Amino acid sequence: MTAPVVAGALAGYGIAVPVGAIGAVLVGLAARTSPRVAAAAALGVASADGVYAALAVTGGAALTPVLAPVAGPLRWASVVVLVALAAHTAVSAWRRYRAGDTPRAEAPPPSAARAYASFLGLTLLNPATVVYFTALVVGGTATGSGALFALAAFAASASWQLLLAGGGVLLGRVLAGRRGRLTTALVSSAVIVALAVRLVLPE
């Protein structure tokens, strides 16, 4: 019982800890919204990792050749979504700053359910995640119970994503002023665009 739990936890941290574009989006969202919304978004990312871990242990070897032809289009779709999100974040922050952050200018934050669904969908656009978990399964790393492996991967990913969300919330409290929030949004948008571009650049 211990082996699949340890393997799943290591796999979950392995895919979650390198902070990519999704992590940057998460931190930026957490800095601008509430801890509840940030936690829901973090669990959306972790749920996608858990889904892909489960797919890997139940048929990842068969899914890999199916996903290979659409990996490129999915990657480009992810880039488009991320760049659009970055642009929306930057433009909205600039408009709020110019308007003086009056109540009318402040856009309502997303609900926890919407944040969860958005981050789940965005993370599911990344076929590299299922390829990563499949490689571990085919390589024999995910031994024992597949359910325990997937649950452990989800738990590990969730703990890291929640840590990122908590850091974003603290950052938002530190930079609570008009300029602080504008700076946070613009830096977050720039990082997201840079990481999105890296998705389609040759290694």
Side-chain angles (χ1 to χ4, degrees), residues 21-107:
I22 304 297
V25 177
L26 176 60
V27 171
L29 175 75
R32 299 186 304 276
T33 58
S34 68
R36 182 168 174 266
V37 171
L43 291 176
V45 177
S47 295
D49 288 343
V51 166
Y52 276 147
L55 287 174
V57 294
T58 56
L63 282 173
T64 300
V66 174
L67 284 173
V70 296
L74 282 176
R75 190 176 295 111
W76 276 105
S78 180
V79 169
V80 170
V81 171
L82 288 168
V83 170
L85 195 58
H88 174 73
T89 298
V91 170
S92 297
W94 179 250
R95 285 176 177 170
R96 288 196 300 270
Y97 178 77
R98 290 293 300 273
D101 278 334
T102 60
R104 287 184 180 179
E106 193 72 55

Side-chain angles (χ1 to χ4, degrees), residues 119-154:
F119 276 76
L120 173 65
L122 190 57
T123 310
L124 286 174
L125 280 173
N126 185 11
T129 306
V130 74
V131 173
Y132 165 81
F133 282 117
T134 299
L136 294 178
V137 172
V138 173
T141 302
T143 56
S145 171
L148 287 177
F149 174 83
L151 285 173
F154 164 78

Side-chain angles (χ1 to χ4, degrees), residues 9-20 23 49 156-157 159-161 163-164:
L10 291 175
Y13 282 123
I15 195 68
V17 169
V19 179
D49 288 343
S157 178
S159 68
W160 180 256
Q161 304 302 340
L163 181 64
L164 283 182

Side-chain angles (χ1 to χ4, degrees), residues 169-197:
V169 170
L170 291 176
L171 179 65
R173 288 177 179 173
V174 172
L175 302 174
R178 287 177 60 218
R179 290 187 179 180
R181 275 181 284 181
L182 175 64
T183 301
T184 300
L186 294 180
V187 170
S188 172
S189 297
V191 171
I192 292 165
V193 170
L195 291 170
V197 169

